[in-house]
Amino acid sequence: MVKKVLIVGGGIAGLSAAWACAQRGMAVELFEQGALPNPRSSSFDEHRVIRHAYGRMAGYTRLMPEAYRIWERLWAATGRSHYEPCGTVVFLRQDDDWYDVVARSLDELSIDHHEVALDEVSTRFPMIREDGLVRVVETGGAGILFPIPILTDLVVLLGGLGIGLHSHCRVDEVDPVKGTVRIGSTIHEGDVVVVAGGAWADRLVSDLRPAVLPSRQAVLYLAPPPALAEAWSKAPVMIDAAAGGGLYALPPRCGTRLKIGDHSFSRRGNPDDDRFATDLDLERLWGPARTALRDFESYTLLERKACFYTVHDREEFQVRPTGPRGWVISACSGHGFKLGPLMGELTARAITGEMDPETLPPIAAGRAIDMAWNIEVPVIAGSTDLTL
Ligand SMILES: Cc1cc2nc3c(=O)[nH]c(=O)nc-3n(C[C@H](O)[C@H](O)[C@H](O)COP(=O)(O)OP(=O)(O)OC[C@H]3O[C@@H](n4cnc5c(N)ncnc54)[C@H](O)[C@@H]3O)c2cc1C
């Protein structure tokens, strides 16, 4: 029987796993190399998208109802929600079957979706460039999560549950056979050790490489021109999908700023490096920003920021045993925040034997297809890739 779990990493995955283990009566010690929460973690930002429309990765769409249930449980435990349901609008600039695939997966879950007439775009979304638009799709079951207060509330919640929170404690080594971690010359003993180290995870779990790589990504925080400020304040999450890359825009809501980013992975960088986005970091963002946004030059730049996440070629989460007493949780994509609490919950279920540990890796990789999560399907081939 597992009585004590050691967790490495205080991002959304590690904090969620700690919470799920504590709910099951396990003693938990969590080690974080930075502050709790850590501004350098992938998880720490003003907003993150959550949505059911996963495009061709239908297995992840199937996970979203359970992911939303765990978020609701968190709001109930902390006493406040940090979710703004505002829907998503996807601006498609190439002709393919993305919407047909998405419509099928959303229909199964009774999530709203419809096309927006192209002649309505300039009125409803005056910030978007209309030339080149092929289709515009609006979906429900989506919105914005606010990570900074979420992580802060989680840390407070865990402290109140008596979880050992060790900030500024870098773990040097884990032993997944013994269930221990080493910090300097001190060995901490547990029954199971879970590595949720984000972009640093491969330093403790070496066989994550070469499939899993840290990827330095850039985002921009902007102030829209005054003429568009009101439209942006009411905007949904917006995704502009153009051939060769696209842009996502998170509107300024609930005390956050307008943010844009892209979905092309750099697959380079050292997560210990600084977080200022250089010209090199930003060079892939300007083109999609000018393609998507009308009068882009009239926006005021507030911050250029570099961030890291891990990526995997097929954007599949890696949640798997690393030994008889070890687990790793690695999001491997730009879509790990929304699923972080669910991955923490499922890892705790696997550790206690509530679920068969062998079923978790394919589920986490988004290959589960039926609602019992037990039939594997491949990702549907195609060109429009919208899985943030
Ligand atoms: C620009 C950007 C946009 C994104 N957009 C979205 C989005 O819209 N929707 C979405 O769902 N996801 C999104 N993501 C992805 C999501 O943020 C990440 O997948 C998720 O936050 C990863 O969480 P994590 O807990 O695995 O890693 P992290 O949050 O990085 O946490 C890992 C923690 O482990 C600590 N650590 C590492 N090694 C050690 C060690 N040896 N000892 C002690 N501590 C250690 C680190 O300091 C860090 O705090 C985005 C990511 C980025 C960067």
Side-chain angles (χ1 to χ4, degrees):
M1 186 178 152
V2 175
K3 290 189 179 146
K4 184 172 178 185
V5 179
L6 308 181
I7 295 184
V8 185
I12 191 65
L15 294 172
S16 299
W19 181 46
C21 289
Q23 284 174 303
R24 289 163 171 79
M26 290 179 249
V28 182
E29 301 288 326
L30 183 145
F31 302 91
E32 165 56 51
Q33 65 187 350
L36 277 167
N38 184 354
R40 295 168 71 84
S41 66
S42 298
S43 302
F44 193 95
D45 199 357
E46 293 186 11
H47 18 43
R48 290 282 180 260
V49 183
I50 178 166
R51 60 200 175 111
H52 286 75
Y54 246 106
R56 301 170 200 289
M57 302 172 84
Y60 285 111
T61 302
R62 294 283 178 91
L63 295 181
M64 289 314 298
E66 186 68 359
Y68 266 89
R69 270 192 285 278
I70 309 289
W71 281 113
E72 290 296 334
R73 201 186 292 166
L74 180 62
W75 312 145
T78 59
R80 12 178 226 168
S81 161
H82 298 296
Y83 169 57
E84 172 92 346
C86 58
T88 303
V89 177
V90 179
F91 300 89
L92 293 160
R93 293 182 190 272
Q94 54 193 320
D95 201 5
D96 70 10
D97 63 349
W98 179 85
Y99 182 41
D100 307 318
V101 173
V102 164
R104 280 200 296 277
S105 63
L106 294 185
D107 284 343
E108 279 179 350
L109 300 174
S110 302
I111 302 289
D112 305 340
H113 61 87
H114 57 266
E115 281 198 60
V116 177
L118 291 180
D119 60 10
E120 284 177 30
V121 171
S122 62
T123 324
R124 289 196 56 201
F125 309 109
M127 65 290 273
I128 295 294
R129 280 183 58 167
E130 294 158 79
D131 46 313
L133 282 180
V134 174
R135 230 173 181 187
V136 177
V137 174
E138 190 162 26
T139 76
I144 304 174
L145 293 163
F146 301 100
I148 296 173
I150 289 172
L151 298 170
T152 308
D153 277 1
L154 255 169
V155 168
V156 172
L157 175 71
L158 299 189
L161 293 174
I163 287 175
L165 296 173
H166 306 273
S167 60
H168 306 290
C169 257
R170 182 188 288 247
V171 169
D172 297 311
E173 199 179 359
V174 300
D175 186 332
V177 176
K178 295 182 181 153
T180 58
V181 306
R182 181 177 66 77
I183 298 171
S185 56
T186 306
I187 304 283
H188 295 261
E189 295 184 354
D191 298 311
V192 171
V193 56
V194 178
V195 174
W200 295 264
D202 61 337
R203 297 180 186 180
L204 297 174
V205 182
S206 58
D207 69 355
L208 281 173
R209 277 183 180 262
V212 173
L213 292 174
S215 188
R216 185 176 167 98
Q217 305 293 128
V219 294
L220 292 176
Y221 297 89
L222 304 167
L228 291 175
E230 192 185 345
W232 271 113
S233 72
K234 295 177 182 151
V237 171
M238 300 212 271
I239 297 163
D240 191 287
L247 188 86
Y248 62 87
L250 282 141
R253 292 284 180 103
C254 303
T256 63
R257 298 170 291 176
L258 165 62
K259 182 176 76 186
I260 63 169
D262 70 345
H263 190 62
S264 325
F265 301 141
S266 78
R267 293 190 170 80
R268 62 170 184 84
N270 176 343
D272 289 333
D273 287 349
D274 68 61
R275 296 296 192 262
F276 175 77
T278 62
D279 290 346
L280 176 65
D281 293 324
L282 287 170
E283 74 181 357
R284 290 164 308 134
L285 199 50
W286 303 121
R290 290 191 184 101
T291 301
L293 299 180
R294 189 192 293 275
D295 298 330
F296 179 60
E297 311 305 333
S298 63
Y299 285 65
T300 303
L301 179 59
L302 302 175
E303 185 181 349
R304 37 199 288 173
K305 183 177 167 188
C307 330
F308 280 85
Y309 44 58
T310 46
V311 296
H312 175 274
D313 277 347
R314 292 186 302 278
E315 296 190 51
E316 293 177 353
F317 280 54
Q318 306 290 302
V319 183
R320 58 175 167 80
T322 51
R325 290 168 181 255
W327 279 84
V328 63
I329 308 177
S330 180
C332 298
S333 69
H335 59 109
F337 195 87
K338 64 174 84 62
L339 288 159
L342 176 61
M343 293 302 150
E345 165 74 17
L346 296 181
T347 304
R349 288 182 200 168
I351 288 171
T352 55
E354 288 162 69
M355 82 187 271
D356 177 355
E358 287 190 11
T359 62
L360 179 47
I363 288 169
R367 296 202 299 267
I369 191 64
D370 74 357
M371 297 315 283
W373 297 354
N374 56 15
I375 301 173
E376 291 193 28
V377 285
V379 172
I380 303 160
S383 53
T384 309
D385 177 11
L386 295 173
T387 49
L388 79 164

